[in-house]
Amino acid sequence: MENYLDNLNKPQKEAVKYCDGPLLVIAGAGSGKTRVLTYKIVHLLVNGYDPWRILALTFTNKAADEMKERIEKMVGEKTASRLWMGTFHSIFARILRQHAEKLGFKSNYTIYDTADSKSLIKTIIKHLDLDDKVYKPTAVQNQISWAKNQLISPEMYQSNRDLIKLDEHQRRPRMYEIYRMYRARCLEANAMDFDDLLYYTNLLFRDYPEILRHYQEYFQYVLVDEYQDTNFAQHLIVKALTQQSGNLCVVGDDAQSIYSFRGANIGNIINLKQQYPSLRTIKLEQNYRSTKNIINAANSLIDKNITQIKKTIFSENDEGDRISVIKCYSDFEEAGTVAAKISQLRMTTHDSFEEFAILYRTNAQSRVLEESLRKRNIPYRIYGGLSFYQRKEIKDAVAYLRLAVNPADDEAFRRVVNIPARSIGDTTVNNLVTGAIENHVSLMTASEDTATYAPNVKRAAATKLMGFTQMINRFGDMVRNHVNAYEVVDRILHDSGLMAMYSSDSTPENISKLENLHELRNAVREFVETTEELEENGDTSLESFLQQVSLATDQDSDDGPEERITMMTVHSAKGLEFNNVIIVGVEDELFPSMMSKGSIREIEEERRLLYVAITRARNNCIMTFASSRFRNGMTMVTRPSPFISDIDKAYLKMVNLQGTSSTYSDSWLSREKPSYRTEPAPRRSSMRQETKTIITPRASTPSPQDGLFSVHSADELKVNMTIEHSRFGKGIITAIDTEMSDARITVAFDNQGTKTLILKWAKFNIL
């Protein structure tokens, strides 16, 4: 215990020992942030601070538990248990219980979770007789959450002309009315939601200065983890508690501020000195996680951001390999390359699967990667989410496909009869189920003749059911007429209303779900095209596709080996580390996201996101991009992300598809790198105070080899000829067969193995 400071490097020790005023610790990636926070609390205890007068705020229970466990080992469980340590929400819920009456609540108030909150909003929308397709509960919930985190009351909301105009533009002019009723109903129910815990704490401190003074004096020292992730409401609480004493230590890294979509404000950490003029800043710049090449590459990337606290992260670990950048011909070929690279690295590094991570910008990218991993029997887990075919919107869509093939599938029927909402409620479905069981018929049959099979179903509901069954029968007619799976699925996704359900509102959740539905359509298209190319008279029916999906779904269960590679979005990867990290889809309009080109601020956050991705790697980091990607129902020519060119070429290794490598070459990216021009745009509303800039990519000329694949006859081909396939990439022709009714060739592809292609369907270039 006496030697605890000996375990720290010089700046870590300086941060732990400094207690004479407000302190900002800028903790670079892998620099020992948790150790500094833990040791600083121990140092305060050793120097006479009472544990119950130390307040330590975190963003996750996991982070709080990890720090408390470390502290227990150093000072004992009894002392550690007396610390005020936990998440913002848990700590201030505890304070609010003691003063709830001041705010119109009772001390035994209920805390509504997200589902409770959404259910209440649905009830209010229905009570006000509003269209829930316009006033989407999720969108309304997000807007109310935003308002609370900006400390905007319903009365302030109603009087804000910019907000009212924005709501009118979005065809939600009664948004303020829902917010007002929502707050009133919560008060009547003696309930607070998560946002209320911060909102009402601010109100408590603002309206009752004697209570604020009590806590200012009670908490002798306040520590905050991950300060770059704080929102406006959290920042004001911290400021209120510490403005008088200045006994504050915040730890964070502006370079890892990636949660603005949740309300995080990077300005809280960037501009902290304006709030605390005597603020001392200590930078933890030594990275203990990664190789020198990885850290230097990450430094050169983040250096391009204008808004940042300048620092130079360094590593004293081995030099390590440069970051490999692999260009693929398509997203399909990219997935095969990733699976092959994992197998190759496993043999050379002898790392377990647990030491591999595949990171992507959007969840929809996982589908083609999952299929490629399954083909190679590489076990995987989806971190912080579900595997592709287990996601709700995909299971809903697949239920429609199952009904089109088999109208007697009662489970599929029950799942989607009211998705999207058709005013077919639980009572109707229960009456229908009872009638179907008693008459030994399917729910579909009962729905088509409710008068005979389910007479308790009301006439209006019977009409809705008839409309649903007629739609399913139209889909079934396409299946029975042998229309290929892609055309059937395309029709189902549109006519069922699934696509429209998620496309009318651009919340992050809806955008992700819509992307996943597009990706399902991509999967069916690939299935049809691959079947046509590889099999004579191949079965491209919806039944055949569903059989493939069923097998994939079975393999997606949690049963299986414990040792698995990890797949996740980059946002989910923050705080984690792996020996080997593969970042896929590093392309313009994907990474950075197409949705993030509205301002310099958004582009810089995307650059920070790639910085986070790179710094998850200890030993090996790989980035991949494709020349074409199937998105939104079409094959799109794509370009490598401009962020690749932001990285110093000395730390990059360009790897071609034959596996040979070279140093960075401008020819790889120069013709494809998007350039940007900036121009001012008018301010949209007071919801955003920063200067807005529109970033427009200039048009680039696609490469002749991008997207210009064609069909060839056997006469044009020779054995040992090299071709470039639209999806499988480069390969060598090993055999040509013209004896069959449809001529075909056998090709040994670099990353997809040997395949036999039917020439009348196969599209490729001769190199």
Side-chain angles (χ1 to χ4, degrees):
M1 180 64 184
E2 297 78 18
N3 300 321
Y4 66 95
L5 292 175
D6 294 341
N7 297 319
L8 304 172
N9 64 29
K10 184 177 178 181
Q12 288 175 338
K13 188 181 298 185
E14 185 181 1
V16 166
K17 292 175 67 176
Y18 182 77
C19 302
D20 298 327
L23 173 66
L24 168 61
V25 180
I26 296 296
S31 63
K33 167 181 69 69
T34 303
R35 169 172 287 203
V36 166
L37 271 174
T38 301
Y39 280 49
K40 189 166 188 72
I41 292 171
V42 170
H43 187 70
L44 291 170
L45 294 170
V46 169
N47 283 274
Y49 282 80
D50 294 322
W52 54 89
R53 302 187 74 179
I54 297 174
L55 173 62
L57 299 169
T58 66
F59 274 84
T60 65
N61 288 312
K62 179 182 176 183
D65 292 343
E66 181 182 348
M67 281 197 288
K68 189 170 290 187
E69 185 178 335
R70 293 190 189 188
I71 293 168
E72 283 178 1
K73 292 178 180 177
M74 301 178 72
V75 301
E77 183 179 355
K78 184 177 181 180
T79 299
S81 66
R82 295 180 178 179
L83 292 165
W84 279 65
M85 177 180 288
T87 64
F88 276 87
H89 293 93
S90 66
I91 292 294
F92 295 112
R94 183 176 166 185
I95 289 176
L96 285 173
R97 289 211 184 273
Q98 299 180 42
H99 308 283
E101 289 80 3
K102 299 280 189 184
L103 301 163
F105 293 87
K106 297 176 182 177
S107 61
N108 64 340
Y109 65 81
T110 299
I111 298 176
Y112 278 175
D113 63 14
T114 303
D116 297 323
S117 170
K118 190 172 182 179
S119 177
L120 175 55
I121 287 169
K122 286 180 178 179
T123 300
I124 293 170
I125 290 170
K126 186 175 182 179
H127 175 78
L128 294 175
D129 197 25
L130 300 173
D131 185 352
D132 62 5
K133 294 182 177 61
V134 177
Y135 289 87
K136 287 183 173 291
T138 299
V140 171
Q141 186 179 38
N142 289 341
Q143 184 69 356
I144 291 174
S145 173
W146 174 87
K148 288 181 180 179
N149 284 319
Q150 298 300 312
L151 303 184
I152 297 174
S153 68
E155 294 76 20
M156 293 166 64
Y157 194 108
Q158 185 177 358
S159 63
N160 187 309
R161 295 177 62 185
D162 287 332
L163 289 174
I164 297 302
K165 284 183 180 179
L166 182 62
D167 287 337
E168 289 174 349
H169 177 72
Q170 295 176 339
R171 299 187 301 122
R172 297 189 304 224
R174 299 178 71 182
M175 179 69 222
Y176 74 89
E177 196 174 344
I178 299 173
Y179 182 16
R180 184 177 62 202
M181 187 174 291
Y182 177 83
R183 184 181 68 169
R185 292 297 298 160
C186 285
L187 276 166
E188 290 163 4
N190 192 36
M192 295 188 193
D193 63 25
F194 289 136
D195 297 311
D196 283 331
L197 298 175
L198 303 179
Y199 177 85
Y200 282 115
T201 299
N202 272 291
L203 260 59
L204 181 70
F205 289 166
R206 183 196 70 186
D207 296 343
Y208 298 93
E210 70 280 5
I211 294 177
L212 173 59
R213 279 195 300 272
H214 166 74
Y215 286 106
Q216 286 175 335
E217 294 170 2
Y218 185 81
F219 294 125
Q220 293 181 324
Y221 208 96
V222 177
L223 303 97
V224 187
D225 190 16
E226 303 284 12
Y227 204 73
Q228 77 280 352
D229 294 335
T230 54
N231 61 28
F232 179 64
Q234 290 163 329
H235 174 69
L236 283 190
I237 292 171
V238 172
K239 180 182 175 184
L241 288 173
T242 61
Q243 192 71 42
Q244 298 298 320
S245 69
N247 291 333
L248 170 70
C249 172
V250 306
V251 180
D253 182 8
D254 58 292
Q256 297 185 68
S257 178
I258 59 174
Y259 294 123
S260 66
F261 66 95
R262 295 181 186 169
N265 182 1
I266 191 175
N268 290 346
I269 193 169
I270 294 286
N271 303 318
L272 194 63
K273 192 169 181 63
Q274 295 177 15
Q275 310 291 330
Y276 300 89
S278 62
L279 180 75
R280 181 170 178 179
T281 300
I282 296 174
K283 300 176 183 178
L284 307 183
E285 297 177 299
Q286 182 171 357
N287 175 285
Y288 292 93
R289 175 189 302 154
S290 308
T291 63
K292 290 178 180 177
N293 269 312
I294 289 172
I295 291 304
N296 290 337
N299 282 342
S300 65
L301 170 71
I302 203 65
D303 188 57
K304 306 303 185 297
N305 272 10
I306 298 169
T307 304
Q308 63 170 299
I309 297 172
K310 285 290 186 180
K311 56 189 170 298
T312 302
I313 307 302
F314 68 94
S315 171
E316 293 184 353
N317 295 335
D318 293 340
E319 194 78 20
D321 287 339
R322 287 169 290 168
I323 293 179
S324 295
V325 181
I326 303 176
K327 175 183 177 181
C328 304
Y329 299 102
S330 66
D331 49 344
F332 186 87
E333 211 265 351
E334 176 188 52
T337 300
V338 168
K341 196 67 180 175
I342 289 172
S343 297
Q344 177 188 335
L345 278 172
R346 281 253 300 164
M347 288 188 291
T348 57
T349 65
H350 307 293
D351 283 331
S352 69
F353 282 124
E354 294 288 323
E355 289 298 344
F356 289 83
I358 301 174
L359 308 183
Y360 35 78
R361 181 63 183 83
T362 66
N363 275 308
Q365 292 170 257
S366 80
R367 194 270 309 171
V368 66
L369 292 160
E370 289 182 65
E371 292 180 2
S372 186
L373 293 173
R374 283 195 296 268
K375 288 176 183 176
R376 284 183 174 261
N377 293 317
I378 296 176
Y380 65 88
R381 68 166 58 89
I382 306 290
Y383 182 93
L386 297 169
S387 61
F388 184 78
Y389 286 107
Q390 295 299 322
R391 294 167 189 160
K392 180 187 180 300
E393 61 275 14
I394 299 303
K395 295 187 81 168
D396 291 343
V398 169
Y400 272 104
L401 310 190
R402 286 164 48 188
L403 271 180
V405 170
N406 174 21
D409 187 336
D410 283 355
E411 292 308 308
F413 183 100
R414 292 177 67 173
R415 183 177 184 93
V416 296
V417 66
N418 200 39
I419 296 177
R422 299 183 177 89
S423 301
I424 300 174
D426 291 342
T427 301
T428 298
V429 173
N430 290 337
N431 287 332
L432 197 64
V433 169
T434 300
I437 292 173
E438 290 177 351
N439 290 281
H440 306 287
V441 297
S442 70
L443 292 176
M444 187 80 168
T445 299
S447 297
E448 291 173 320
D449 188 1
T450 55
T452 300
Y453 298 114
N456 289 333
V457 171
K458 294 181 179 179
R459 181 178 297 178
T463 302
K464 298 285 186 182
L465 286 169
M466 182 58 71
F468 176 73
T469 59
Q470 288 173 347
M471 177 181 66
I472 297 299
N473 285 330
R474 289 196 299 273
F475 300 153
D477 288 341
M478 296 180 73
V479 173
R480 289 183 285 276
N481 290 326
H482 308 292
V483 176
N484 73 52
Y486 177 71
E487 293 181 42
V488 179
V489 171
D490 189 56
R491 176 68 61 83
I492 288 174
L493 290 177
H494 284 92
D495 289 5
S496 67
L498 286 176
M499 298 289 270
M501 183 168 65
Y502 298 119
S503 62
S504 60
D505 202 333
S506 58
T507 62
E509 296 85 357
N510 279 356
I511 291 170
S512 177
K513 289 175 180 178
L514 188 61
E515 287 175 343
N516 287 336
L517 290 177
H518 281 303
E519 188 58 30
L520 175 64
R521 191 169 58 177
N522 295 352
V524 184
R525 174 183 177 272
E526 281 182 6
F527 162 77
V528 171
E529 290 188 352
T530 302
T531 301
E532 288 176 342
E533 286 190 58
L534 302 181
E535 300 176 28
E536 187 175 15
N537 301 318
D539 186 357
T540 61
S541 67
L542 184 57
E543 297 100 313
S544 181
F545 174 75
L546 281 174
Q547 179 177 322
Q548 176 179 294
V549 169
S550 297
L551 294 172
T553 303
D554 288 342
Q555 293 178 354
D556 286 342
S557 67
D558 287 336
D559 298 330
E562 286 298 315
E563 184 190 311
R564 293 180 258 180
I565 70 166
T566 301
M567 298 174 61
M568 69 186 105
T569 63
V570 182
H571 281 101
S572 298
K574 187 168 176 288
L576 303 177
E577 56 187 74
F578 305 87
N579 283 353
N580 311 283
V581 170
I582 303 174
I583 311 165
V584 299
V586 189
E587 297 154 22
D588 192 34
E589 297 194 345
L590 185 57
F591 205 161
S593 165
M594 188 188 321
M595 305 294 293
S596 301
K597 290 193 170 182
S599 69
I600 293 292
R601 180 186 61 81
E602 291 168 338
I603 286 291
E604 293 202 338
E605 177 153 330
E606 290 286 304
R607 190 179 281 115
R608 292 194 295 270
L609 194 59
L610 183 57
Y611 174 87
V612 167
I614 292 171
T615 55
R616 299 311 93 197
R618 297 190 192 102
N619 302 327
N620 294 293
C621 183
I622 298 168
M623 295 191 293
T624 66
F625 65 90
S627 294
S628 66
R629 188 172 294 274
F630 195 76
R631 297 180 69 186
N632 303 324
M634 65 183 72
T635 300
M636 303 176 68
V637 175
T638 56
R639 302 170 294 191
S641 170
F643 295 158
I644 297 176
S645 295
D646 285 343
I647 300 173
D648 191 319
K649 65 184 69 176
Y651 309 117
L652 297 180
K653 175 173 62 177
M654 316 308 289
V655 181
N656 65 30
L657 293 171
Q658 283 71 43
T660 58
S661 61
S662 63
T663 56
Y664 177 102
S665 170
D666 288 334
S667 63
W668 277 69
L669 302 175
S670 58
R671 68 169 175 81
E672 299 174 284
K673 175 187 174 183
S675 55
Y676 295 103
R677 56 187 172 84
T678 60
E679 53 191 42
R683 191 175 64 174
R684 288 163 51 190
S685 78
S686 63
M687 290 175 65
R688 290 190 177 184
Q689 300 299 325
E690 78 279 357
T691 302
K692 193 76 173 171
T693 305
I694 301 298
I695 301 181
T696 309
R698 294 187 182 134
S700 66
T701 305
S703 162
Q705 70 181 23
D706 286 336
L708 300 181
F709 301 97
S710 58
V711 173
H712 297 272
S713 68
D715 295 338
E716 300 174 70
L717 308 175
K718 296 178 182 179
V719 173
N720 293 326
M721 180 179 282
T722 301
I723 67 166
E724 177 190 340
H725 187 269
S726 60
R727 292 198 312 284
F728 303 140
K730 283 186 179 179
I732 296 174
I733 298 175
T734 59
I736 301 174
D737 184 355
T738 57
E739 300 297 321
M740 311 264 311
S741 57
D742 289 320
R744 60 200 63 199
I745 58 174
T746 302
V747 183
F749 288 101
D750 295 337
N751 289 292
Q752 297 294 326
T754 299
K755 298 185 183 296
T756 299
L757 307 179
I758 300 172
L759 288 179
K760 72 176 182 180
W761 300 113
K763 293 183 179 181
F764 56 86
N765 286 335
I766 299 171
L767 300 181

